[in-house]
Amino acid sequence: MTDALEEVRIVAAECRACDLWKTGTQTVFGEGSETAQLMLVGEQPGDKEDLAGRPFVGPAGRILDQGLEEAGIDRSSVYVTNAVKHFKWEARGKRRLHKRPDATEIAACRPWLDKEIELVQPRVVVCLGATAAQALLGRSFKVTKQRGELFPQPAGHVITATVHPSSILRAADAASRESEMAAFTEDLRLVNRQLQAFSA
Ligand code: URA
């Protein structure tokens, strides 16, 4: 990590801008290449990520890794982060079940995401799912209708969105899981082509 990114990560570890720090184990800051051309933004850390302190290392992370590999994108060349950096959950017996962050929590975390984008300076930011897309593209953004569209930003990068990898895990049956995985991989392939066009 660059010194500047590392400094932000250290400050974010003490973030108290919303109440999620009280129940999360730790701030899960983004990680990956500090010169990445591609930044992936998820919703929030899950149970495994909360414990590990790293984004996308649990079941959704495995789907993400598979999609990246099939799309020819090396995860080590990418910067991976979340719109919200604490795990929001509710107890169900001994399990901690994911709870969607609300608008206040997303807004409270936004400065960290903005800093990551400012310091990494990616060419393309891919929102994984509705929470990240609505955080960066506005509350009316619909992933179902607008996935794959490119939204150029004044800072010079482009933002686009696809589904959240967890939605593939939740697919009703094997056939829909397979087609959703294929569509996700295709979205990532298009992103890869976009990146190659930028550097041509
Ligand atoms: N889901 C997310 O949105 N982010 C993670 O880091 C893990 C699961």
Side-chain angles (χ1 to χ4, degrees), residues 171-181:
D173 51 47
S176 38
R177 184 170 166 168
E178 199 176 312
S179 68
E180 285 174 34
M181 187 67 208

Side-chain angles (χ1 to χ4, degrees), residues 46 50 53 61 74 76 90 109 117 137 156 165 167:
D50 170 75
D74 178 4
S76 68
E90 63 188 352
C109 227
I117 295 173
L137 293 168
S167 68

Side-chain angles (χ1 to χ4, degrees), residues 28 41-46 49 54-58 60-61 80-82 128 164 166:
V28 179
V41 184
E43 181 190 77
Q44 60 166 350
E49 289 79 11
R54 299 180 53 212
F56 283 103
V57 293
V80 182
T81 191
N82 283 298
L128 301 170
H164 193 284
S166 306

Side-chain angles (χ1 to χ4, degrees), residues 29-200:
F29 201 68
E31 66 172 25
S33 167
E34 68 223 22
T35 55
Q37 298 213 331
L38 174 59
M39 181 178 288
L40 301 174
V41 184
E43 181 190 77
Q44 60 166 350
D47 181 68
K48 294 276 188 298
E49 289 79 11
D50 170 75
L51 297 172
R54 299 180 53 212
F56 283 103
V57 293
R62 283 192 285 281
I63 297 287
L64 178 62
D65 288 347
Q66 187 186 332
L68 288 172
E69 196 183 331
E70 286 172 15
I73 299 170
D74 178 4
R75 177 159 171 172
S76 68
S77 71
V78 171
Y79 188 88
V80 182
T81 191
N82 283 298
V84 170
K85 290 170 172 53
H86 276 106
F87 178 36
K88 182 174 182 180
W89 57 277
E90 63 188 352
R92 188 74 54 81
K94 286 189 177 163
R95 295 176 59 213
R96 301 191 303 169
L97 290 193
H98 161 275
K99 248 186 122 180
R100 211 171 175 172
D102 63 31
T104 323
E105 291 150 353
I106 294 166
C109 227
R110 179 66 192 265
W112 303 123
L113 181 56
D114 287 342
K115 262 287 172 215
E116 289 174 299
I117 295 173
E118 181 192 320
L119 293 172
V120 176
Q121 293 192 299
R123 286 222 157 139
V124 179
V125 175
V126 178
C127 303
L128 301 170
T131 299
Q134 288 172 3
L136 288 176
L137 293 168
R139 300 281 296 276
S140 59
F141 188 89
K142 293 269 173 293
V143 174
T144 42
K145 290 201 181 111
Q146 294 170 283
R147 70 190 286 179
E149 277 181 44
L150 300 176
F151 297 90
Q153 302 297 302
H157 59 281
V158 163
I159 303 183
T160 187
T162 182
V163 294
H164 193 284
S166 306
S167 68
I168 301 170
L169 286 171
R170 290 194 304 268
D173 51 47
S176 38
R177 184 170 166 168
E178 199 176 312
S179 68
E180 285 174 34
M181 187 67 208
F184 178 60
T185 303
E186 189 51 29
D187 285 346
L188 294 176
R189 265 196 207 106
L190 288 173
V191 166
N192 201 11
R193 263 181 239 139
Q194 186 66 40
L195 284 170
Q196 281 161 8
F198 274 137
S199 37

